[in-house]
Amino acid sequence: MNPKITPDHLARSAVVYVRQSTMSQVTGNLESQRRQYDLAGAAEAVGFASVTVIDDDLGRSGSGLMQRPGFERLVAMVCSGDVGAVYCIEASRLARNGRDWHHLIDLCALAGTLVVDPDGAYDPRLVNDRLLLGLKGTMSEYELSLMRQRGIAARDSKAKRGEFRFMLPPGFCWSEADKVEIDPDEHVADTIRLVFAKFRELGSARQVFLWLRSADIKMPVVRRNVEVCKLVWKPPAYHSVMQILHNPLYGGACGHGLSRGAPVRPAASGSLATNGMCCCVTIILVTSAGRNTRRIRSSCSRTRI
């Protein structure tokens, strides 16, 4: 047993924090899950009075951009003084940002709680251990930035070659030749055409939404579950209508990396900030000589939101 784990620590409980960043990791990377859950057995073997496993954050990123109820529960338990040690498979499981990491380490130092990983046990009250924990947290944060940078560079490279595949809006699908084609489901295509036809007729996105709701017409919505995209039919929603009307893909245009400029901010009235322009598109399927071709007629009209 590590000499830093004293009878005072063993008299309190141990907490095993389990986290994976995405749902694809939760469903696919089961060995990492198993290794993290096995830490509960390691804590029991050391002799802790009780062991609590916190796995509320499975599928949640530790970058600090989303809420983590499991991490908040861990912080609350450390603050209560009832936790003798926090077990994690590595520093990145606890946090991927310096704010959360150093906040937790400060609280562990005040409560006399150890941080334990497969490399050893660390006491935040000791200078050398505090230095090592600080380096682990910094490297974890840097690793996230490095992975993001590599991922963005790979994505941009594929986009330049025209090989980048992304989730298409309702009405389009990827062909076997990796080309964007109109969805062969006529029900989906006709519903999208109806939205644009009603927009030209009524001149207002809100009026289109109200008409669709009064006519009890369901809208196609693309749902993504991990790597699988599924088309479902749902009652019309205002944001769904707006997404269709503002999507340039329906006008035959596809842009990548266009969000690097100034972010879109909410208008003063609380409605979505918009330039007042909406691309209105009519998609016409023409059957000729046994093959399908398409003609796209685009026009821009001002919308009243």
Side-chain angles (χ1 to χ4, degrees):
M1 185 176 68
N2 195 300
K4 294 178 183 178
I5 303 178
T6 65
D8 176 63
H9 295 121
L10 296 176
R12 293 181 280 173
S13 63
V15 176
V16 177
Y17 182 75
V18 179
R19 184 184 68 82
Q20 288 179 295
S21 300
T22 63
M23 290 306 300
S24 61
Q25 293 179 3
V26 174
T27 58
N29 195 352
L30 301 180
E31 187 60 31
S32 175
Q33 272 188 50
R34 190 174 296 111
R35 291 181 61 206
Q36 295 185 64
Y37 281 114
D38 287 345
L39 293 175
E44 291 175 353
V46 171
F48 279 94
S50 64
V51 178
T52 302
V53 177
I54 298 178
D55 56 1
D56 302 341
D57 294 339
L58 285 173
R60 294 177 179 268
S61 171
S63 61
L65 300 179
M66 66 170 52
Q67 189 175 7
R68 289 192 293 158
F71 184 79
E72 295 174 359
R73 179 184 168 195
L74 172 64
V75 170
M77 293 180 67
V78 171
C79 290
S80 68
D82 297 330
V83 178
V86 175
Y87 277 76
C88 60
I89 198 68
E90 59 184 27
S92 62
R93 297 306 91 200
L94 288 173
R96 283 284 195 182
N97 66 92
R99 182 185 67 253
D100 290 345
W101 173 259
H102 291 291
H103 179 57
L104 177 62
I105 298 305
D106 287 339
L107 294 176
C108 288
L110 291 174
T113 301
L114 301 178
V115 178
V116 184
D117 64 11
D119 295 330
Y122 307 93
D123 189 346
R125 295 173 296 184
L126 301 178
V127 176
N128 288 338
D129 287 4
R130 186 64 176 263
L131 176 61
L132 287 174
L133 289 172
L135 289 175
K136 284 178 176 285
T138 301
M139 292 301 297
S140 175
E141 187 174 14
Y142 171 74
E143 185 183 20
L144 178 64
S145 301
L146 187 61
M147 290 189 297
R148 182 183 292 115
Q149 183 179 356
R150 289 175 178 173
I152 292 176
R155 182 198 64 186
D156 292 345
S157 178
K158 291 185 68 175
K160 289 179 182 179
R161 298 195 307 268
E163 300 176 0
F164 178 62
R165 294 189 62 162
F166 51 92
M167 187 173 68
L168 296 173
F172 292 100
C173 63
W174 289 101
S175 67
E176 295 181 356
D178 289 339
K179 301 296 183 181
V180 179
E181 294 184 350
I182 296 178
D183 197 320
D185 189 340
E186 287 294 333
H187 188 194
V188 177
D190 290 342
T191 304
I192 300 300
R193 293 191 190 99
L194 179 63
V195 171
F196 287 110
K198 283 298 176 181
F199 175 74
R200 286 193 299 272
E201 176 185 341
L202 302 175
S204 167
R206 177 173 174 80
Q207 292 301 319
V208 173
F209 159 67
L210 294 176
W211 183 88
L212 292 171
R213 190 172 63 176
S214 63
D216 195 22
I217 297 177
K218 293 188 176 181
M219 300 290 296
V221 178
V222 178
R223 287 284 187 87
R224 182 169 185 172
N225 184 11
V226 190
E227 298 297 333
V228 179
C229 296
K230 181 180 180 181
L231 189 70
V232 297
W233 293 88
K234 299 181 63 177
Y238 179 70
H239 68 274
S240 299
V241 175
M242 290 300 300
Q243 287 174 358
I244 292 175
L245 294 176
H246 281 276
N247 196 323
L249 196 59
Y250 291 110
C254 177
H256 177 72
L258 301 179
S259 60
R260 294 178 180 175
V264 178
R265 302 183 181 276
S269 61
S271 60
L272 293 179
T274 175
N275 58 5
M277 302 299 291
C278 178
C279 186
C280 181
V281 182
T282 300
I283 300 176
I284 305 174
L285 288 178
V286 180
T287 302
S288 175
R291 63 179 182 177
N292 290 334
T293 59
R294 64 178 178 180
R295 292 181 290 134
I296 300 178
R297 182 174 68 252
S298 304
S299 62
C300 287
S301 306
R302 290 197 171 273
T303 60
R304 296 192 295 274
I305 301 175

